Amino acid sequence: MQTHNLGYPRIGSKRELKKALEQYWSGKIMQEQLVETGKTIRQQNWQLQKEAGIDLIPCNDFSYYDQVLDCSLMFGAIPERYHHLMQQQHCTDIDLLFAMARGYQRESYDITAMEMTKWFDTNYHYIVPEFTANQQFSLYSNKIIDEYVEAKKAGFNAKPVLLGPISYLLLGKEKEPGFKRINLIKRLLPVYTEILKKLSDNHAKYIQFDEPCLVFNLSEEERQIVLKTYQQINKQFPNLHIILAGYFESYGQNLPTVLSIPVQTIHLDLVRSPQQLDAVLNTDFVQKKTNLSLGLVDGRNIWKNDFQESLVLIHKAVEKLGLSRVWIAPSCSLMHSPCDLNLETNEGILVPEIKQWLSFAKQKVAEVVTLSKLAIDSNDAAVQELLQRNIMVQKSRKTAAIIHHKKVKERVVAISEADAQRKNGYTERKQKQYAALQLPMFPTTTIGSFPQTAEVRNWRAQLKKGAITAATYNNLIAKETEAAIKWQEEIGIDVLVHGEFERNDMVEYFGEQMEGITFSKNGWVQSYGSRCVKPPIIYGDISRAEPITIKWTSYAQSLTKQWVKGMLTGPVTILQWSFVRNDQPRSETCNQLALAIRDEVVDLEKAGIKIIQIDEPAIREGLPLRKENWDEYLQWAIRAFRISASGVKDETQIHTHMCYSAFNDIMQHIAAMDADVITIECSRSQMKLLDAFSAYRYPNEIGPGVYDIHSPRVPLKEEMVALLQKAQAVIPANQIWVNPDCGLKTRQWDETKKALQAMVAAAKEMRLLMQKTKVL
């Protein structure tokens, strides 16, 4: 019974990669030091898994930015705008990788970044491959071979991990009409062949092909391409042991195709879809020689594995297939888990009662090995002790008093349909809001946060350490807020924000002040590039004990006669970006969050705040991967947003924000949110995302992002005017707001000020153009 891991966190247990990346980008360290940091992290990860007893250890799961972007570089799928940069001697492969991810603006270059979007239904972002009709592929980078050789020389039984050709193509985007990206497979496959040949020449025996797109609703044409592709790989490399890994869902209607693919091992995500084990075992698969990898340990959540439940599934598989054909693994890569629970010391935030229920990546690796040992020899005394301890932990969680609160449950049960409805429809609300707010055409605003400088973060750290008093801290935050309000007034922004200097994270800040939610001290996971987040841990019933944002929002409003937006994180986003309790339906937890946010919205209105933004960037990413499950999710998710937003008067304008989402197939549900204004990411897609709103004839107001905040590049005013003109071509001018793509927390002040000044100038130019049009 082999044990293997699909991938391990690459940020380093103490976020070493994040720190090295940011030092490199700011010119504080040389590339050699960055490379050495990467090597150290890889070696530590491999050693940890070896010591735990994992049989097959993944390599090439490390990336300096993103594994999909690594593939684009590896396959030579480098957009034409970067080709001149490639010819420069100073541009290494790593620098080219970063230019593609972040844009490049120095010397005589001004190159935009590639598009970024969410990785399936996770909070991780990947860089979207760009394809043209005449797209050519060639082996440009040997990263996967180099890291395999590195692992092998260091004495590790390494298994190269590679995003499969089907998923790579399907996760990309056609940059021109007239072709389907899946049909590029014939040009792409020779590069995979070359890679496999080099790995084989270096004596690689096992290769893990990640094909998460096999859980999507594929067409028959796509399924046939999948089958033919792997038949060709098998024909050319019959001696390679191919592990086919799909995850995040069941294979659904694709299962017969998957079971027909000529590979040696097929992986099942039995956390997301335990029922698919029966679906496999009830086919003629049992007569084949193919191994079955059971993804039993949750790679995306932090709760301890229930050994008894997992052993039921293992024994069921072993009974049909035998021990040797059953492998044990996590459900997916552990990159979505924090690194090590052992870093949560007694001085941390987690109380022992909750900590005993948790398992991070290092502990999950150990769980995989323990499950294998229990399946092989459950009579072993040491292993039996681990089982009994696990049973006790599971029992303690089920009976813990801190989880359940009667009043919270009763309030959820009492939610009525009226609680999810504004008093009047948008048309009537718009008239009242226009009269109350008196905003110009193309009103300007930002999404909420301003740069959190090292100084601001240091204040927060000093407060936590007790080095400064709360009074001193509050005084510093007040001065920073005052400066932000004054500067926004000076440059002419119409709707101001307080800057969120008091907030550590848009989800963490709210979670810290709610009952039923706790936090780790070092439970970081990668969101994109160097951006790491520390998700809240929702362990019990949720409620808001007292107002969360009133203090700083009201203070900011007191400093100006202009409107200041109240800034909140919505219930679905808090849910999606947290480690959520798995002992009740997610919809139930989301309703609890919705009521807590509703209370905050009502209190903001009472405090005189007339514009309130409830961020919901995660609604789209929460969609189930299989379309037949969409309606159920959307019903409760949209309803939860409406519950949070519907306690205010018509005159109060409700905004929401969504980033890096495709809306075409859920527009009726986006409209059903009934937000007065929605702001969305649009700049990297060159306003293409607005096509869905145009086709739907979306009636409410829209703020299409006019510049990309995930890149340090400062856009020109003319670029933003051009984007706004594209927006105006499909959306009526009186519906358009002007704003960045997202919050500005991760940016520097210098670039932020220049970009926002250009944004305001672009809005003013659009107003002038409108006036000239009216005159003509």
Side-chain angles (χ1 to χ4, degrees):
M1 183 177 282
Q2 292 256 41
T3 57
H4 71 126
N5 183 21
L6 275 62
Y8 201 80
R10 55 202 180 212
I11 60 175
S13 60
K14 297 180 180 178
R15 292 185 294 162
E16 293 90 339
L17 181 61
K18 170 192 171 63
K19 296 167 187 174
L21 284 170
E22 292 176 354
Q23 286 178 318
Y24 178 66
W25 292 335
S26 62
K28 295 178 181 177
I29 64 172
M30 302 297 289
Q31 189 170 119
E32 291 77 10
Q33 293 168 279
L34 173 63
V35 170
E36 188 60 31
T37 298
K39 182 178 180 180
T40 299
I41 291 171
R42 290 193 297 272
Q43 296 280 342
Q44 289 174 344
N45 288 351
W46 295 333
Q47 185 64 34
L48 179 153
Q49 293 172 82
K50 181 179 181 180
E51 290 175 357
I54 292 291
D55 296 317
L56 294 176
I57 297 170
C59 65
N60 197 48
D61 54 338
F62 176 84
S63 175
Y64 287 104
Y65 204 96
D66 165 52
Q67 71 272 14
V68 183
L69 180 61
D70 286 347
C71 286
S72 292
L73 192 69
M74 191 188 318
F75 305 149
I78 302 165
E80 187 176 356
R81 61 187 180 277
Y82 302 101
H83 287 188
H84 194 261
L85 186 63
M86 293 164 60
Q87 298 166 8
Q88 304 303 306
Q89 289 184 346
H90 68 271
C91 185
T92 64
D93 285 359
I94 288 179
D95 288 329
L96 179 58
L97 188 88
F98 294 151
M100 293 164 71
R102 309 174 71 236
Y104 192 88
Q105 193 175 41
R106 67 180 74 161
E107 301 145 1
S108 60
Y109 295 101
D110 190 0
I111 310 173
T112 57
M114 294 173 69
E115 193 173 342
M116 182 164 68
T117 196
K118 294 292 178 70
W119 176 251
F120 295 82
D121 57 351
T122 75
N123 188 30
Y124 176 76
H125 303 67
Y126 75 94
I127 303 297
V128 181
E130 298 180 10
F131 303 127
T132 58
N134 65 345
Q135 183 71 51
Q136 301 298 314
F137 301 97
S138 61
L139 185 58
Y140 183 86
S141 164
N142 285 308
K143 175 182 179 293
I144 186 171
I145 295 99
D146 294 341
E147 291 188 10
Y148 171 71
V149 171
E150 177 190 341
K152 183 182 173 186
K153 284 184 177 179
F156 298 104
N157 188 24
K159 168 194 62 171
V161 176
L162 181 60
L163 183 62
I166 304 301
S167 293
Y168 175 71
L169 291 174
L170 291 179
L171 290 169
K173 179 176 284 189
E174 296 97 344
K175 299 304 287 185
E176 58 189 17
F179 76 104
K180 294 181 179 179
R181 59 192 181 276
I182 191 68
N183 292 328
L184 296 173
I185 189 69
K186 292 180 180 178
R187 299 180 198 167
L188 177 60
L189 197 52
V191 183
Y192 274 83
T193 299
E194 189 175 354
I195 291 168
L196 294 177
K197 175 70 165 57
K198 289 192 174 190
L199 287 170
S200 183
D201 289 346
N202 281 283
H203 310 292
K205 296 179 180 178
Y206 297 88
I207 311 288
Q208 177 182 312
F209 276 92
D210 281 357
E211 288 284 12
C213 285
L214 291 178
V215 307
F216 286 157
N217 297 85
L218 300 182
S219 67
E220 180 58 30
E221 177 189 6
E222 289 168 334
R223 287 195 285 265
Q224 287 304 310
I225 291 173
V226 171
L227 192 56
K228 290 176 182 177
T229 298
Y230 280 94
Q231 285 173 341
Q232 190 169 339
I233 290 173
N234 180 66
K235 184 177 180 180
Q236 291 182 279
F237 300 96
N239 296 321
L240 277 180
H241 187 119
I242 303 294
I243 304 160
L244 187 72
Y247 36 78
F248 301 152
E249 244 299 351
S250 71
Y251 292 112
Q253 296 95 325
N254 305 322
L255 183 61
T257 302
V258 171
L259 298 182
S260 300
I261 295 173
V263 295
Q264 286 65 40
T265 300
I266 293 174
H267 177 77
L268 304 179
D269 183 341
L270 296 181
V271 173
R272 278 297 184 92
S273 183
Q275 68 274 13
Q276 67 178 328
L277 179 60
D278 285 334
V280 172
L281 297 179
N282 290 330
T283 68
D284 63 357
F285 176 84
V286 296
Q287 276 80 50
K288 299 180 179 180
K289 295 181 180 179
T290 311
N291 301 318
L292 202 59
S293 166
L294 308 184
L296 295 165
V297 174
D298 195 341
R300 291 182 52 177
N301 213 333
I302 42 72
W303 305 107
K304 264 193 171 75
N305 183 266
D306 187 324
F307 287 170
Q308 287 184 308
E309 288 186 1
S310 293
L311 286 169
V312 170
L313 297 174
I314 293 173
H315 291 150
K316 184 182 292 186
V318 169
E319 184 180 351
K320 289 286 189 77
L321 304 176
L323 271 174
S324 63
R325 287 180 61 192
V326 176
W327 291 19
I328 308 298
S331 59
C332 61
S333 169
L334 297 178
M335 65 176 285
H336 307 288
S337 295
C339 290
D340 185 3
L341 188 63
N342 293 332
L343 297 176
E344 303 301 317
T345 60
N346 292 334
E347 293 78 29
I349 308 165
L350 281 174
V351 297
E353 183 176 13
I354 296 173
K355 183 181 175 182
Q356 68 171 333
W357 303 333
L358 308 183
S359 176
F360 290 180
K362 182 177 180 179
Q363 290 70 40
K364 290 176 184 296
V365 166
E367 287 180 332
V368 168
V369 175
T370 300
L371 285 170
S372 176
K373 290 178 178 178
L374 283 167
I376 294 169
D377 184 9
S378 60
N379 293 321
D380 180 275
V383 176
Q384 187 60 224
E385 184 180 348
L386 292 174
L387 174 61
Q388 294 305 315
R389 195 181 306 163
N390 182 268
I391 292 171
M392 290 177 62
V393 167
Q394 300 299 331
K395 184 178 180 180
S396 74
R397 185 175 169 216
K398 290 175 182 176
T399 57
I402 62 172
I403 290 178
H404 303 288
H405 293 276
K406 184 180 178 182
K407 289 184 179 179
V408 174
K409 295 182 188 298
E410 288 175 345
R411 192 178 177 200
V412 169
V413 171
I415 294 173
S416 68
E417 285 309 307
D419 292 326
Q421 301 286 339
R422 295 288 295 272
K423 292 181 176 61
N424 290 292
Y426 172 70
T427 302
E428 186 171 339
R429 297 200 309 269
K430 182 177 182 178
Q431 294 175 353
K432 293 180 179 179
Q433 290 165 17
Y434 181 80
L437 301 176
Q438 294 291 301
L439 295 171
M441 290 283 286
F442 299 103
T444 55
T445 190
T446 62
I447 303 305
S449 60
F450 276 144
Q452 290 237 342
T453 62
E455 187 178 28
V456 171
R457 295 195 301 270
N458 186 52
W459 297 340
R460 192 179 303 123
Q462 287 183 308
L463 178 67
K464 287 185 176 180
K465 293 175 183 176
I468 61 174
T469 65
T472 299
Y473 174 77
N474 288 335
N475 186 48
L476 291 167
I477 294 296
K479 289 181 179 179
E480 197 77 6
T481 303
E482 184 177 0
I485 292 292
K486 183 178 179 180
W487 180 77
Q488 290 173 86
E489 287 179 322
E490 288 173 354
I491 69 166
I493 290 179
D494 299 304
V495 175
L496 314 186
V497 296
H498 76 286
E500 303 180 15
F501 302 109
E502 78 285 4
R503 303 185 189 183
N504 43 16
D505 175 81
M506 66 180 288
V507 173
E508 185 175 358
Y509 181 76
F510 287 87
E512 283 177 337
Q513 300 177 71
M514 291 183 182
E515 301 295 327
I517 301 177
T518 189
F519 289 84
S520 61
K521 185 178 181 181
N522 295 289
W524 299 98
V525 293
Q526 185 183 25
S527 178
Y528 63 88
S530 67
R531 169 79 167 142
C532 298
V533 294
K534 188 150 53 70
I537 298 168
I538 299 177
Y539 67 87
D541 291 333
I542 299 165
S543 61
R544 186 201 70 149
E546 56 187 27
I548 299 171
T549 67
I550 305 300
K551 174 182 175 180
W552 291 112
T553 308
S554 297
Y555 172 70
Q557 186 64 79
S558 74
L559 300 172
T560 179
K561 294 180 180 179
Q562 292 179 236
W563 300 115
V564 174
K565 270 195 296 188
M567 301 301 306
L568 307 176
T569 303
V572 181
T573 295
I574 295 177
L575 183 85
Q576 283 295 126
W577 293 359
S578 298
F579 293 124
V580 183
R581 58 188 291 192
N582 57 2
D583 61 341
Q584 72 175 14
R586 291 170 69 86
S587 57
E588 182 83 4
T589 304
C590 198
N591 279 336
Q592 293 177 0
L593 286 163
L595 290 171
I597 298 301
R598 180 189 179 94
D599 292 343
E600 190 72 15
V601 171
V602 170
D603 282 346
L604 280 168
E605 185 185 58
K606 288 177 180 177
I609 305 303
K610 300 298 184 185
I611 303 176
I612 302 169
Q613 182 170 306
I614 307 172
D615 286 341
E616 282 291 17
I619 277 190
R620 180 62 173 80
E621 83 182 42
L623 269 179
L625 300 179
R626 302 198 60 78
K627 289 185 178 179
E628 57 266 30
N629 301 323
W630 282 15
D631 282 347
E632 180 188 358
Y633 161 76
L634 286 167
Q635 284 177 12
W636 63 254
I638 301 303
R639 184 170 181 264
F641 174 83
R642 292 179 65 129
I643 290 167
S644 72
S646 295
V648 294
K649 300 173 184 177
D650 289 347
E651 290 81 0
T652 299
Q653 191 174 72
I654 297 294
H655 290 221
T656 191
H657 171 67
M658 297 183 177
C659 53
Y660 297 107
S661 296
F663 302 107
N664 304 55
D665 40 13
I666 59 168
M667 270 309 308
Q668 69 184 78
H669 299 284
I670 298 300
M673 292 174 73
D674 199 28
D676 299 305
V677 181
I678 180 172
T679 55
I680 61 172
E681 177 277 330
C682 263
S683 65
R684 287 199 183 191
S685 70
Q686 292 292 300
M687 296 290 165
K688 289 291 184 184
L689 288 177
L690 283 181
D691 291 346
F693 289 83
S694 174
Y696 186 78
R697 298 185 181 275
Y698 186 75
N700 301 21
E701 295 176 35
I702 307 173
V706 294
Y707 83 88
D708 175 23
I709 68 89
H710 296 89
S711 167
R713 179 180 174 275
V714 177
L716 300 173
K717 178 197 75 173
E718 290 75 15
E719 292 176 49
M720 290 188 266
V721 168
L723 287 175
L724 286 168
Q725 288 174 329
K726 286 183 179 181
Q728 191 180 347
V730 295
I731 300 293
N734 63 359
Q735 288 180 236
I736 297 175
W737 282 63
V738 182
N739 46 262
D741 269 346
C742 204
L744 298 161
K745 174 184 175 182
T746 61
R747 301 270 51 94
Q748 301 298 315
W749 265 116
D750 180 59
E751 67 199 51
T752 295
K753 287 184 175 182
K754 291 176 182 176
L756 289 180
Q757 286 167 340
M759 186 190 81
V760 171
K764 289 179 178 178
E765 184 163 326
M766 290 298 294
R767 292 168 194 160
L768 287 173
L769 290 172
M770 285 291 295
Q771 290 176 3
K772 289 179 182 178
T773 302
K774 287 181 179 180
V775 170
L776 293 173

